[in-house]
Amino acid sequence: MPEGEEPGRYFFAIWPEAQIRGRLDAWAREIETGTGARRVAADNLHMTLAFLGTLRETQVTAARKVARGMAPEPAVLTLDRIGYWQRPRIIWAGSRDGCDLLCALAENLRERLRRVGFRIDTRLFVPHVTLYRKARRRPKWTSRRIEWPVNDFCLVHSRLLPEGARYEIVERWSANSDVK
Ligand code: 2AM
């Protein structure tokens, strides 16, 4: 965290390259959401692995240390379905087939974080990329198939600004990262 900056919220995520974000954004624009739904900006599209909440600097250091010991196996994630959750009122893109490697990465990361004292959501991890928030009804959508090559994951700092969330990637870890 840059010096002098107030503590923000942090989460681990997989962040797609611009081309995949562009394709996800194009898919999102095709969806009939009804009124009121707010589309996530293309630059902000991501898949959360573990949400950490507001952290002190020592906790950020601890989270980075946890991630340093992990080397994700490269995988291709197929996004081919749209889902809707009424409670958080989000429309999301996910995978029909599940995603073994990615789920294993998320569960492994979550478990390691819990072991060093982070409070992590205990519900089953459902991989999803949120496309719309404040959606009031189940959407109508057309099929698409996006193959997303996943080679790394990252820690993200989130600030809530009047114009929406501002995300900044703090650090990335890939299969080729040095494991220190
Ligand atoms: P979502 O897309 O399902 O809403 C940044 O806020 C990211 O962290 C979002 O992708 C969000 O997932 C995820 N997240 C998980 N739990 C959260 C929480 N309790 N508050 C805010 N964001 C959360």
Side-chain angles (χ1 to χ4, degrees):
M1 181 169 62
E3 206 181 324
E5 190 170 311
E6 64 192 55
R9 301 181 333 155
Y10 288 83
F11 57 97
F12 283 104
I14 302 172
W15 212 273
E17 296 302 322
Q19 193 205 13
I20 301 292
R21 272 185 274 131
R23 294 180 63 193
L24 273 164
D25 183 58
W27 197 10
R29 285 167 191 269
E30 287 175 4
I31 296 171
E32 290 179 43
T33 64
T35 53
R38 288 182 47 184
R39 187 161 32 81
V40 174
D43 280 351
N44 284 350
L45 292 167
H46 65 272
M47 180 175 286
T48 300
L49 296 175
F51 181 73
L52 304 171
T54 304
L55 301 185
R56 294 187 304 274
E57 206 160 335
T58 51
Q59 293 173 300
V60 177
T61 305
R64 292 169 93 152
K65 201 169 157 194
V66 166
R68 214 177 288 149
M70 303 191 60
E73 299 219 21
V76 175
L77 176 62
T78 302
L79 297 174
D80 56 2
R81 65 164 294 216
I82 295 297
Y84 173 62
W85 287 330
Q86 199 168 9
R87 176 86 161 79
R89 295 200 295 174
I90 65 171
I91 295 169
W92 48 272
S95 184
R96 285 178 213 265
D97 284 345
C99 55
D100 294 348
L101 283 173
L102 196 60
C103 289
L105 172 67
E107 296 297 357
N108 190 1
L109 182 61
R110 286 165 174 235
E111 190 46 42
R112 288 173 186 230
L113 289 164
R114 284 188 200 109
R115 261 189 251 143
V116 296
F118 286 96
R119 282 199 191 164
I120 306 293
D121 192 350
T122 50
R123 287 172 300 186
L124 187 72
F125 171 70
V126 179
H128 66 280
V129 177
T130 299
L131 301 178
Y132 283 90
R133 301 193 185 279
K134 299 187 192 299
R136 299 202 193 112
R137 67 165 171 80
R138 190 165 291 281
K140 287 188 193 144
W141 53 282
T142 46
S143 286
R144 284 230 184 182
R145 187 181 171 87
I146 298 175
E147 306 277 352
W148 173 6
V150 177
N151 302 305
D152 60 13
F153 70 102
C154 53
L155 180 65
V156 186
H157 180 224
S158 152
R159 280 184 298 154
L160 293 176
L161 303 177
E163 63 271 25
R166 168 91 47 89
Y167 299 129
E168 186 193 352
I169 294 177
V170 177
E171 189 170 351
R172 279 181 189 268
W173 295 269
S174 70
N176 304 320
S177 305
D178 288 335
V179 177
K180 291 177 194 140

